[in-house]
Amino acid sequence: MQLFPVSDSTLSPAHIAAFVKDKYQPGETVTARIIKTGISHTYLINADTNKYIFRVYSLYWRTKTEIEAEIALLQLLKENSIPVSHAIPDRQFVYIQQLPAPEGRRFAVLFSFAEGKKML
């Protein structure tokens, strides 16, 4: 039987952890767990020394240009001493990753972890 096509998949936290370890933290122990699914999927990344957020954007939800603008805005806020989560480049200074998901290539970005409480 042929596999039924998907429009959205949830990527394996273990494989996300391995990807982040390879791209960002090669010398550290890295774990990942899903903390939110929806328009984008959010993974909490725990490394030996820090926590991070890894956002995997849904296919066609944001273009690469729109994600670049989001990253630029967060960087501008950070540079102006506004306490925000900001994008973190990989070891090759790439901010936006492309992941081969069953539905197609999905964009993903690693962000700093911002302590705080959820607000509705």
Side-chain angles (χ1 to χ4, degrees):
M1 181 172 157
Q2 183 178 2
L3 292 178
F4 202 86
V6 299
S7 59
D8 187 42
S9 62
T10 301
L11 304 179
S12 158
H15 289 86
I16 292 292
F19 179 85
V20 170
K21 178 179 173 63
D22 179 58
K23 290 281 188 181
Y24 299 89
Q25 308 285 344
E28 297 193 25
T29 300
V30 176
T31 61
R33 71 177 174 92
I34 298 171
I35 58 174
K36 181 182 111 16
T37 60
I39 294 175
S40 62
H41 294 177
T42 304
Y43 296 79
L44 176 62
I45 304 295
N46 281 295
D48 290 339
T49 57
N50 285 306
K51 291 182 189 178
Y52 303 92
I53 294 296
F54 193 67
R55 180 186 295 161
V56 180
Y57 296 81
S58 292
L59 188 67
Y60 306 125
W61 182 56
R62 294 277 189 257
T63 66
K64 189 173 183 182
T65 300
E66 289 170 330
I67 297 169
E68 289 168 342
E70 175 186 3
I71 291 168
L73 173 61
L74 292 172
Q75 185 62 31
L76 179 65
L77 293 171
K78 178 184 173 232
E79 289 169 1
N80 284 282
S81 302
I82 307 294
V84 295
S85 176
H86 59 278
I88 298 172
D90 68 11
R91 293 181 297 132
Q92 304 299 318
F93 303 104
V94 173
Y95 284 95
I96 302 172
Q97 307 299 324
Q98 293 187 43
L99 305 178
E103 65 273 22
R105 292 209 170 264
R106 291 173 63 180
F107 296 120
V109 177
L110 185 70
F111 291 94
S112 62
F113 183 81
E115 293 287 344
K117 296 179 190 176
K118 181 179 179 178
M119 296 182 67
L120 299 176

